[in-house]
Amino acid sequence: MLGESLTVVAAALGTAVVQAAGTQAWDGLRGGVARVLGRGRPERETVELEWLDRTAAALDAAEPERAEVERARQEAVWGTRLATLLESLPEDERQAMVNALESVLREYRPAEKGGTGGGVHGNVFHGPAFVQGHGGTQNVTLGPRE
C-alpha cells in the first residue's frame, strides 16, 4: 500500500496536471509528463498523451456551472492513476519518477489565478486543493518517502 505522503504527492501532481490544462504551460507540461510516465517506451508515451488530451478536452467541454466538478473529477482521476503507478514501482524507481515529475512541474508550472504562480518551488508543491468539494491551498513537500 502506498504511504500517505506519496498519496498526497500523487494528488498534488494530479492537481498540477489539471491546473495546467488550457494554459500556456500545457504543451510543455503535457509532453514532459507523458515522457516521464512513458518511461522510455514510445507506445506508453503515446497512451499518456492520449490520457492528457482527454483530460484537457473534458475540462474545455465542461459547462461553466459544471467546470469545478469536472476539475475535481479530473484531479481525482490523475491522482489515482499516479498513486497506482507509484505504488507499482520499486522504491528507487518510485523516487526517481517523483523527482522527474517534480522537474517537469518546476519547468512548466502554470500561473495561478491572479498571476502569483503555482506548481513546484524547490521541493514544495503550492497549488489549489479540491478535497471533497472544498477549496483551499495545499503545500506538499516532495522528497524522500517512506
Side-chain angles (χ1 to χ4, degrees):
M1 183 170 188
L2 198 61
E4 183 179 339
S5 60
L6 279 177
T7 301
V8 171
V9 167
L13 294 169
T15 297
V17 166
V18 171
Q19 184 183 18
T23 70
Q24 291 179 349
W26 179 245
D27 288 337
L29 185 126
R30 174 186 171 269
V33 167
R35 187 174 48 260
V36 171
L37 298 182
R39 300 185 315 201
R41 299 189 331 241
E43 69 282 356
R44 189 71 224 155
E45 187 172 329
T46 298
V47 169
E48 296 302 335
L49 288 168
E50 290 169 358
W51 269 90
L52 288 156
D53 290 343
R54 283 194 300 271
T55 296
L59 292 167
D60 189 51
E63 298 294 326
E65 63 276 2
R66 302 271 311 149
E68 195 60 38
V69 170
E70 185 60 28
R71 286 179 60 83
R73 188 180 82 73
Q74 292 295 330
E75 288 172 1
V77 166
W78 277 98
T80 300
R81 286 190 76 228
L82 292 167
T84 300
L85 175 60
L86 291 172
E87 186 175 37
S88 73
L89 298 173
E91 180 63 33
D92 59 330
E93 290 180 41
R94 182 181 305 155
Q95 191 57 49
M97 181 168 284
V98 168
N99 292 343
L101 288 167
E102 176 187 27
S103 178
V104 169
L105 294 176
R106 188 173 33 254
E107 185 172 354
Y108 296 109
R109 72 179 177 267
E112 290 183 51
K113 290 177 184 173
T116 59
V120 177
H121 300 278
N123 69 338
V124 180
F125 170 83
H126 303 278
F130 298 98
V131 179
Q132 298 177 354
H134 302 287
T137 300
Q138 62 186 0
N139 298 306
V140 179
T141 301
L142 305 174
R145 301 290 166 242
E146 46 220 347

